[in-house]
Amino acid sequence: MMDELMLYLHVPFCVRKCHYCDFLSAVHNAETREKYVQALCTELRTRGKEYSGRIVTSVFFGGGTPSLLLPAQISRILDTARGPFVFSKDAEITMECNPGTIHANPMEGEANRGKECFEVEQNHDEEKKLAGYRTAGVNRLSIGLQSANDEELKLLGRIHDYEAFLETYRIARKVGFANVNIDLMNALPGQTMKSWRETLEHILALTPPPEHLSVYSLIMEEGTTFSEWNSQGKFTGKLQIPSEELDREMYAYTGKRLAQAGYQQYEISNYAKEGYLCRHNFGYWTRKEYLGLGLGAASLLGNVRYANETDLQQYLEDPLAGRSEQPLSREEQMEEFVFLGLRTIRGVSRKEFEQCFGESVDAYWSKVIQKNVADGLLTDDGEAIRLSAKGLDLGNYVSAQFLL
């Protein structure tokens, strides 16, 4: 039986950088994107030879904005991947998609302003483009909405409004996408409990509602426009950043409301209808091996973490150069096992830990576990260690205590 492998394929292009985003992205045009696809296919063919004995169970096109690529380019990448790899019959193939890149260039007048903008071609209408992704093999769409409030979308620097999202969602359903995730963000500057509830209700009222929701609290990442604005004191008055208490209230309400709507929370920030857990992302949290390809992509293979070249020109010239590797010590592997496991609602399995490392989790963290159980942040039923409802609010604090 062949070992399983997940593929992550990075597309580092955006129309412009959102104000909260610190992800790796690059300036580009149609020619650059085509050169990038060629380089990515070269890396796929070459790296694929090293891992050709594996069966691919999931593929994730992340970004950046993968929906800036044409369906023919996505098809070419997947066809290339099918050369060295065997895909499982039910392989989950996800592509991130932003509404502003599916519409027939709604932001054309704005596209030439600023260093990170570029021309957006109009050679594909919305339905043709989304249908093309389906034909290429994409069977799961992840739509970056973030908010149903147009004022909040503008503040975030998104290139679309809520109506644009609705049109993208409608067409995605029309062309046959039956597994759709929507990304949402809360604790935004100026966001209230009322506006957050309204966003959730808008999403739950969609017909049909999405199969999966990823809900993240805003983090002020260094180097972002939001971080700069925050240091300049711009988030005051109506744009005041929600307090930690309000952030937690939003989080608790989200879990309760989505549970009422039939979603099961399976990770700190992810909720799914029955049968629609994101297998790819859940693989990260359970330390399944994955091969990351493309600019800046990361991999975990044989307890070694790899990271690709982050300079676009260098990657285009030689997509196989500039790859770093970091073998993980036994202690680092155990830390990851616990840290990632605590992100999931299923928690850290005592049995699985012992199977992996030949020792009990208590041999390293007995006092930490007992302390956090006493503080009401962890639960321990003898089979698994989990964050409590209170602990979910303080997950980073709890996880940090498991560093050796």
Side-chain angles (χ1 to χ4, degrees):
M1 184 177 178
M2 291 185 289
D3 291 333
E4 296 182 358
L5 182 69
M6 307 189 305
L7 292 181
Y8 173 79
L9 306 173
H10 190 66
V11 180
F13 306 125
C14 291
V15 173
R16 70 179 180 208
K17 198 87 163 179
C18 293
H19 296 156
Y20 57 87
C21 180
D22 70 336
F23 291 167
L24 179 64
S25 61
V27 180
H28 56 103
N29 54 27
E31 180 181 2
T32 304
R33 295 195 297 281
E34 174 57 27
K35 288 181 178 178
Y36 184 82
V37 170
Q38 293 173 11
L40 183 57
C41 287
T42 296
E43 188 186 8
L44 257 171
R45 282 189 290 268
T46 307
R47 301 277 187 222
K49 293 177 183 178
E50 302 176 41
Y51 308 101
S52 57
R54 314 290 286 273
I55 183 167
V56 171
T57 56
S58 68
V59 180
F60 197 102
F61 285 92
T65 310
S67 52
L68 288 173
L69 297 185
L70 300 175
Q73 292 171 318
I74 295 292
S75 180
R76 198 182 339 151
I77 293 168
L78 287 172
D79 286 345
T80 301
R82 290 187 179 96
F85 297 111
V86 175
F87 279 41
S88 64
K89 291 182 180 180
D90 64 343
E92 177 189 86
I93 303 178
T94 302
M95 188 182 79
E96 291 182 341
C97 158
N98 282 341
T101 61
I102 297 299
H103 273 245
N105 199 14
M107 304 296 289
E108 180 184 16
E110 186 172 344
N112 292 320
R113 301 176 198 163
K115 295 179 180 179
E116 295 172 281
C117 295
F118 71 106
E119 79 286 359
V120 181
E121 298 84 356
Q122 299 186 64
N123 58 343
H124 278 71
D125 62 35
E126 303 156 67
E127 188 169 331
K128 186 176 180 181
K129 194 172 186 181
L130 283 171
Y133 293 141
R134 284 271 295 137
T135 301
V138 177
N139 55 30
R140 183 176 184 272
L141 207 61
S142 181
I143 305 176
L145 170 59
Q146 315 311 345
S147 172
N149 182 301
D150 283 346
E151 290 185 6
E152 291 175 357
L153 290 173
K154 185 176 181 180
L155 177 67
L156 291 169
R158 304 295 288 174
I159 65 171
H160 63 88
D161 57 19
Y162 185 59
E163 284 301 317
F165 159 78
L166 288 176
E167 184 67 2
T168 296
Y169 189 83
R170 181 188 69 81
I171 295 173
R173 292 307 199 179
K174 180 181 178 181
V175 303
F177 280 102
N179 189 355
V180 177
N181 169 66
I182 295 177
D183 282 348
L184 297 174
M185 296 181 70
N186 59 17
L188 307 178
Q191 190 176 53
T192 64
M193 194 65 195
K194 180 176 181 293
S195 66
W196 174 239
R197 286 176 176 168
E198 288 173 349
T199 282
L200 285 181
E201 294 308 317
H202 278 301
I203 300 311
L204 295 177
L206 293 171
T207 306
E211 286 70 30
H212 190 284
L213 286 167
S214 296
V215 184
Y216 302 98
S217 292
L218 173 69
I219 298 175
M220 290 285 177
E221 301 286 1
E222 290 187 17
T224 63
T225 299
F226 266 7
S227 178
E228 181 181 348
W229 287 353
N230 191 37
S231 65
Q232 294 172 354
K234 292 188 176 182
F235 292 135
T236 58
K238 292 184 178 181
L239 289 182
Q240 185 172 355
I241 299 173
S243 65
E244 287 188 14
E245 289 74 18
L246 179 54
D247 187 359
R248 292 173 184 171
E249 184 182 348
M250 288 178 176
Y251 183 79
Y253 177 81
T254 300
K256 180 179 179 180
R257 182 66 185 94
L258 293 184
Q260 292 172 349
Y263 292 86
Q264 181 179 10
Q265 184 179 15
Y266 66 95
E267 190 268 347
I268 286 179
S269 303
N270 286 270
Y271 308 79
K273 295 280 190 177
E274 185 175 355
Y276 289 97
L277 171 152
C278 178
R279 283 183 276 152
H280 187 91
N281 282 341
F282 196 72
Y284 289 151
W285 301 317
T286 53
R287 296 193 79 245
K288 291 189 181 298
E289 293 196 342
Y290 60 93
L291 174 62
L293 303 171
L295 188 71
S299 305
L300 175 64
L301 299 159
N303 285 313
V304 178
R305 289 205 174 273
Y306 298 89
N308 273 9
E309 171 66 58
T310 58
D311 182 272
L312 179 61
Q313 282 307 121
Q314 293 293 325
Y315 181 80
L316 294 179
E317 291 172 10
D318 186 355
L320 302 175
R323 190 191 197 201
S324 64
E325 61 179 81
Q326 177 195 358
L328 297 176
S329 67
R330 175 182 169 82
E331 288 75 17
E332 288 171 327
Q333 293 171 42
M334 290 191 293
E335 288 173 354
E336 280 194 358
F337 189 100
V338 175
F339 186 88
L340 294 173
L342 286 177
R343 287 193 61 89
T344 68
I345 301 305
R346 71 190 285 265
V348 179
S349 166
R350 289 178 171 278
K351 181 178 179 180
E352 290 176 11
F353 184 93
E354 191 164 347
Q355 287 174 339
C356 285
F357 303 107
E359 296 182 78
S360 167
V361 66
D362 293 301
Y364 294 87
W365 294 292
S366 176
K367 291 182 178 180
V368 171
I369 294 169
Q370 291 174 14
K371 175 184 181 299
N372 283 277
V373 168
D375 290 342
L377 300 177
L378 287 177
T379 64
D380 182 3
D381 62 4
E383 294 185 2
I385 302 157
R386 303 178 179 90
L387 290 173
S388 66
K390 179 181 177 182
L392 286 170
D393 285 336
L394 301 168
N396 290 337
Y397 165 76
V398 176
S399 296
Q401 297 175 57
F402 285 86
L403 296 177
L404 292 171

